[in-house]
Amino acid sequence: MTAEPPVAAADRRVLPVALDAMGGDHGAPPNVEGAVLAARAGVSVLLVGDRVKLHAELGKHAGSAALPIEVVEATDVIGMDEHASDVRRRTQASINVATRLVKDGRASAAVSMGHSGATMASALLTLGRIGGVERPAILTHLPARGGFTTLLDVGANADVKAAYYAQWARLASVYLRVVEDRENPTVGLLSIGEEDHKGSALVLEAHALLREQHGRGINFHGNVEGRDIFRNTTDIVVTDGFTGNVVLKLAEGEAKVLFGWVKEALSGSLKTKLGGLLVRGALRGLADRMDPSTYGASLLIGVRGLAFIGHGSADARAVKNALLRAARAHESNLIPRLEAAFQDQAR
Amino acid sequence: MTAEPPVAAADRRVLPVALDAMGGDHGAPPNVEGAVLAARAGVSVLLVGDRVKLHAELGKHAGSAALPIEVVEATDVIGMDEHASDVRRRTQASINVATRLVKDGRASAAVSMGHSGATMASALLTLGRIGGVERPAILTHLPARGGFTTLLDVGANADVKAAYYAQWARLASVYLRVVEDRENPTVGLLSIGEEDHKGSALVLEAHALLREQHGRGINFHGNVEGRDIFRNTTDIVVTDGFTGNVVLKLAEGEAKVLFGWVKEALSGSLKTKLGGLLVRGALRGLADRMDPSTYGASLLIGVRGLAFIGHGSADARAVKNALLRAARAHESNLIPRLEAAFQDQAR
């Protein structure tokens, strides 16, 4: 870092969120706009990136000078098509500066809409793992009947061991209790049949482990199937990062195609067109509910610090929601609570 | 079998389809009704099961005596909650009688809405595998932009080897060419990124194998992601039976929940209710498109004979469509064409 960090003596409760303001498909603009929206909602933000560009972008938003937003210089940025492993040597990359701000206690969380692999690598290298967690996972929410289903891992680990499932179930359970006020959240293991003996060899092994830890920090429901995710059969669905990533992208892709078909169906005859006009508002509400921007970003859970990873295509609303979620997770004292849960278990 | 098979000297082209008429959640009624509908559409059917019950059920359909439907006695039936392995010793179970009719050249295909595991086991034990195929897979269609995407394996093999993917890609390619008149269908490998190096260790190995066989019976497109299934990026998507089963059940479950939400949204205010009335017909057409009954049943591909496996909850329409598909697959000479494709490759 070339500049002195601006929040050296910050109060823990009002610690700002560090935003990798150069990350994502559209660079600074949606990041800065999202930061302005979040700051207006009361969240302090550190914009990490090219100082000149970020100040210029901030200048486009009337009244932004009065908001709790500061700029922290980072001279490099890891592009969407570059290698995640670049994180090791490119110490001045914006994502590395952001995670270091968290490590040094100058920011409450790091948020990035940039290169997902680089964000994971930077968070893991800089912040390390929570004791008892072998591999961090990406935790996300999917809209479901009656609210949302929490799904993990959605892509950090394509190859897994049975022990990971139980660690992730424990992490997600603490998360829902602490951040979402869910009492004793239920955990389902994604499989290909509800019966205990259904699944791959690995899933059967994970099932036995989860069964064994049931009642000790994990409220294990048993196996769930693909259809249960949208039915919200359990609060949490735990799976490997390969299956979880396929699920996430399928769910988003299907919603998009289905809504496209609904739109098409409503523009057929004069009669359906007229009906379409009348129902447009109601359907828009539904489309919003399915929009990934609603949740903003996914949490990299299992590292010793808060790190959120969003879509490269994130808009200002997604950035704002990600910053709000990050601040909420910090206020809930999530990381110390996660650490305590694993210490209790080890006893 | 206690009775003489009724079609001993049948012409190959008009060979009837054997229906496990006792299988499924609702027993004989939807099976018999589906058979009546299929027979009216020109498909001959052998109803396999309890002779008395099936004749009684047939009697409820006016004019059924004049249709090309015959009953073949089977004194036993494997219930939905029993073990698939029972197939070995319960030789008089309806599914075993049905697959034996295929084996003996007295039926063109076996179709069952009953116990999926039992149907797979019976087909594999009775009919054997096509030379060069290590493990049969379940092939199904999912609605997609511009038509449908063919997906396999959707549940026969929870644990797989890389070689299976290439064998399944070859089987599905022949199937689409022969039965659906698709020229040179494209094959996508389901993974967690489009780039060649993205995926689990197993998927990377499968990728290399598919790449190697590209142009020789397999038109390999590369990796596809969850979102590509509904986009119809490739004609065929090949994956392991664990991921495929999760995908299938998620896709069906999501469609159901989304349409439920659309219905709910349309019954809010008086305005949307009125609009809802006007668009009802158009949306019903869409719901039909998403209905699994449209495709009737999935094909167990890789066994030496035609076997179709449907939903336990299948209605008469699904049974009818399954019988029609089975007859079409037989008329297309699918099994000899599949065998030839593997012989060519071995040369």
Side-chain angles (χ1 to χ4, degrees), chain B residues 162-246:
Chain B
Y164 299 175
Y165 293 81
Q167 291 162 17
W168 297 341
R170 185 170 304 277
L171 288 167
S173 299
V174 173
Y175 171 83
L176 278 189
R177 268 197 296 270
V178 166
V179 181
E180 302 285 347
D181 287 319
R182 249 348 128 87
E183 284 265 341
N184 206 17
T186 50
V187 174
L189 173 63
L190 191 57
S191 191
I192 58 174
E194 288 172 13
E195 304 88 340
D196 288 6
H197 64 276
K198 291 270 179 83
S200 63
L202 183 69
V203 165
L204 296 186
E205 204 187 325
H207 188 107
L209 263 178
L210 284 161
R211 186 66 74 202
E212 198 184 290
Q213 294 184 28
H214 173 65
R216 292 181 288 130
I218 297 174
N219 183 6
F220 185 48
H221 163 93
N223 287 350
V224 293
E225 299 184 276
R227 61 171 69 97
D228 292 300
I229 296 172
F230 270 80
R231 283 185 188 163
N232 200 207
T233 305
T234 55
D235 296 307
I236 296 161
V237 171
V238 64
T239 189
D240 66 274
F242 184 89
T243 311
N245 189 269
V246 168

Side-chain angles (χ1 to χ4, degrees), chain A residues 159 190 201 225 249 251 254 289, chain B residues 159 201 225 242 249 251 254:
Chain A
D159 291 292
L190 192 56
E225 300 184 275
K249 289 175 180 164
E254 177 168 356
R289 184 173 177 180
Chain B
D159 291 292
E225 299 184 276
F242 184 89
K249 288 175 180 164
E254 178 169 355

Side-chain angles (χ1 to χ4, degrees), chain A residues 23 76-80 82-84 86-87 90 93-96 114-115 118:
Chain A
D76 189 9
V77 58
I78 295 178
M80 299 300 270
E82 298 189 273
H83 285 284
D86 282 7
V87 155
R90 291 164 67 178
S94 53
I95 182 61
N96 280 330
H115 193 301

Side-chain angles (χ1 to χ4, degrees), chain A residues 144 159 190 192 200-201 225 227 230 242 245 249-251 254-255 261 265-266 271 278-279 282 286 289-290, chain B residues 144-145 159 190 192 200-201 225 227 230 242 245 249-251 254-255 261 265-266 271 278-279 282 286 289-290:
Chain A
D159 291 292
L190 192 56
I192 59 174
S200 63
E225 300 184 275
R227 61 170 70 96
F230 270 80
F242 185 90
N245 189 271
K249 289 175 180 164
L250 173 69
E254 177 168 356
W261 284 345
L266 298 190
K271 188 178 107 181
L278 294 171
V279 302
L286 197 51
R289 184 173 177 180
M290 297 303 301
Chain B
R145 216 177 259 169
D159 291 292
L190 191 57
I192 58 174
S200 63
E225 299 184 276
R227 61 171 69 97
F230 270 80
F242 184 89
N245 189 269
K249 288 175 180 164
L250 172 70
E254 178 169 355
W261 284 346
L266 299 190
K271 188 179 108 181
L278 295 171
V279 302
L286 197 50
R289 184 172 177 180
M290 298 303 301

Side-chain angles (χ1 to χ4, degrees), chain B residues 19-49:
Chain B
L19 176 65
D20 172 10
M22 311 304 286
D25 299 340
H26 310 297
N31 283 309
V32 172
E33 191 186 341
V36 167
L37 295 173
R40 282 190 191 135
V43 172
S44 312
V45 183
L46 298 181
L47 292 174
V48 180

Side-chain angles (χ1 to χ4, degrees), chain B:
Chain B
M1 246 175 309
T2 51
E4 188 65 19
V7 282
D11 178 332
R12 249 212 165 272
R13 277 163 310 164
V14 296
L15 218 49
V17 179
L19 176 65
D20 172 10
M22 311 304 286
D25 299 340
H26 310 297
N31 283 309
V32 172
E33 191 186 341
V36 167
L37 295 173
R40 282 190 191 135
V43 172
S44 312
V45 183
L46 298 181
L47 292 174
V48 180
D50 181 311
R51 184 179 287 274
V52 176
K53 271 193 194 152
L54 293 177
H55 276 295
E57 203 56 48
L58 266 175
K60 295 177 187 166
H61 298 275
S64 65
L67 292 171
I69 298 180
E70 305 209 33
V71 172
V72 177
E73 174 84 348
T75 51
D76 188 10
V77 58
I78 295 178
M80 299 300 269
D81 298 324
E82 298 190 271
H83 285 285
S85 56
D86 282 7
V87 154
R88 271 183 196 277
R89 49 175 190 83
R90 290 164 66 179
T91 53
Q92 296 311 309
S94 52
I95 183 60
N96 279 330
V97 174
T99 55
R100 274 205 303 274
L101 286 165
V102 177
K103 167 84 174 170
D104 298 344
R106 292 182 188 124
S108 59
V111 172
S112 177
M113 305 298 168
H115 194 301
S116 309
T119 305
M120 278 190 275
S122 174
L124 189 55
L125 284 168
T126 311
L127 304 170
R129 287 175 287 115
I130 286 176
V133 177
E134 286 174 84
R135 297 288 292 269
I138 302 179
L139 175 152
T140 201
H141 299 315
L142 280 175
R145 216 177 259 169
F148 62 86
T149 297
T150 298
L151 180 70
L152 79 170
D153 172 23
V154 297
N157 307 275
D159 291 292
V160 305
K161 294 196 298 183
Y164 299 175
Y165 293 81
Q167 291 162 17
W168 297 341
R170 185 170 304 277
L171 288 167
S173 299
V174 173
Y175 171 83
L176 278 189
R177 268 197 296 270
V178 166
V179 181
E180 302 285 347
D181 287 319
R182 249 348 128 87
E183 284 265 341
N184 206 17
T186 50
V187 174
L189 173 63
L190 191 57
S191 191
I192 58 174
E194 288 172 13
E195 304 88 340
D196 288 6
H197 64 276
K198 291 270 179 83
S200 63
L202 183 69
V203 165
L204 296 186
E205 204 187 325
H207 188 107
L209 263 178
L210 284 161
R211 186 66 74 202
E212 198 184 290
Q213 294 184 28
H214 173 65
R216 292 181 288 130
I218 297 174
N219 183 6
F220 185 48
H221 163 93
N223 287 350
V224 293
E225 299 184 276
R227 61 171 69 97
D228 292 300
I229 296 172
F230 270 80
R231 283 185 188 163
N232 200 207
T233 305
T234 55
D235 296 307
I236 296 161
V237 171
V238 64
T239 189
D240 66 274
F242 184 89
T243 311
N245 189 269
V246 168
V247 161
L248 177 66
K249 288 175 180 164
L250 172 70
E252 289 178 1
E254 178 169 355
K256 221 174 251 182
V257 170
L258 290 197
F259 280 117
W261 284 346
V262 169
K263 248 189 213 163
E264 233 176 77
L266 299 190
S267 61
S269 68
L270 195 63
K271 188 179 108 181
T272 58
K273 263 184 202 155
L274 177 63
L277 280 175
L278 295 171
V279 302
R280 205 159 54 176
L283 291 180
R284 195 174 298 134
L286 197 50
D288 278 352
R289 184 172 177 180
M290 298 303 301
D291 185 348
S293 311
T294 309
Y295 298 111
S298 302
L299 173 63
L300 182 67
I301 198 163
V303 289
R304 277 193 74 208
L306 292 169
F308 289 84
I309 301 175
H311 267 263
S313 62
D315 58 10
R317 182 169 161 255
V319 172
K320 175 199 160 188
N321 287 339
L323 293 168
L324 262 52
R325 273 188 83 198
R328 192 149 53 103
H330 178 69
E331 281 157 24
S332 320
N333 228 8
L334 179 61
I335 298 297
R337 298 284 292 272
L338 290 173
E339 291 194 295
F342 278 84
Q343 280 160 8
D344 290 351
Q345 200 231 345
R347 243 172 242 148

